[in-house]
Amino acid sequence: MTDHPTDANLDVDAHTAPPAQDALSGPAPDAAAPLTRAIRSGLDRLRAFDRRRPLAWDTAVTAFWAVAAVLDYTSGGWRNVAHDVTAPEPLVLLMSLCFSLPLLLRRRYPMAVLLLMAPVSLVNVWTGAVVQAALLQLIPAFQIALRFPLRRLGAAGLVLCAPVVGGADRIPDIWDRQLVSYLWGFVFVALLGIAVRTRRDYTEALVERAHRLEHERDQQARLAAAAERTRIAREMHDIIGHNLSVITGLADGGAYAAAKSPERAAQALEAIGTTSRQALSELRRVLGVLRDDHPDADRTPQPTLDDLAPLIEQVRRAGLPVHLKLRGDPGPPTLLPPGRQLTVYRVVQESLTNTLKHASAPADAPLSAAVTLTYTRTHVDAHITDTGTNTATRTGAATRSAADDPGREPPTPPPIPTLPQGIMGMRERAALYSGTIEAGPLPEHGGWHVRLRLPLEDTPQ
């Protein structure tokens, strides 16, 4: 037996979607009257039994009405309302059973059950017996109102009332009263079925909406967690990558100077200690904010453009000469919000770190870098260049073709590389504020450049 609506379900399954309690929603369920709680509990148990064993419930309902129809026949109660008491009694019993037994299929095939009862109803009116079991036709009509469109409900009304109209010649004095009683009964069950169906659909919509909101909440939480992990990974990359590159440069320079200039080696060791402590402090700050059991974690402000000078000085101590140029009027400090200032700072930091890690000095000149900040009315541009070689290592994708060197054979194409994490992080930072990043080799002297273009907040693009 398939799953289908129940006759007992004259109310919706309110227990599937408990209403929110607030100051305007009335008393909570526990505060209801004892009789209301008992009725609600009984209906819930009845619905639960019907969902578990629909065939048993259908059999019980059918047996109940069949017994009631047979008792009406055996007790002679049908004679009290019959138009013609001389109708054959076996035919009366047969009609009573034909009105009650098909109810077993009323939920799976309600329209078929109603059509099956229609000839019996015509015989019932034509013989003048007018057994009360004919009113059982209203039960499949209720199922049609509960499950099918209004067009099908109109057809069910015609099937229900047509036998009474057809027997007008046989019982001319009472057929109109019979028709009115059938019409009123049909209107009642139709309205009841529509009301139950509307209430059920409304409750299902509320439950579906609650599930959808719960799913969206979980999805938003996952997206927020993923975004936070990306942000933390970006911060950790910037902190660890930059400081370790500076420490590596200082260590190499100190080792080179140890034999010839112990004082320079001591300065390098001191700079290594300072850089290490700074990196450790930044890591503690980032990790401390992530720990829930440390509400007083250090929340030192993130770097701003005022920290560019110390950053460049730190890179210079690591052995990379850096020249800083400022163009235009930066305006008041509040013109560029902290988030945008942090983006510029991290892009400059990442670019210089990549130069320290990947670039090597050309044969005819020492390695150097330049940072140019340009302020306009609507944008701030950061242009970082260096004179280093080995740019293919920094991009992971740069190759030379045969057209660049006609005397060479075309090389075997390398596998398609992935975009370096540093450049990806810079682009993600810039995208947060509708900025753009351009990175690539400089064709004029083989160096490398990174250009950040970042719009100012609340200014036209």
Side-chain angles (χ1 to χ4, degrees), residues 3 33 71 93 203 296 309 369 394 443:
D3 199 9
L71 288 178
L93 177 60
T203 303
D296 298 328
R394 283 185 274 181

Side-chain angles (χ1 to χ4, degrees), residues 19-29:
Q21 299 297 325
D22 52 28
L24 300 179
S25 62

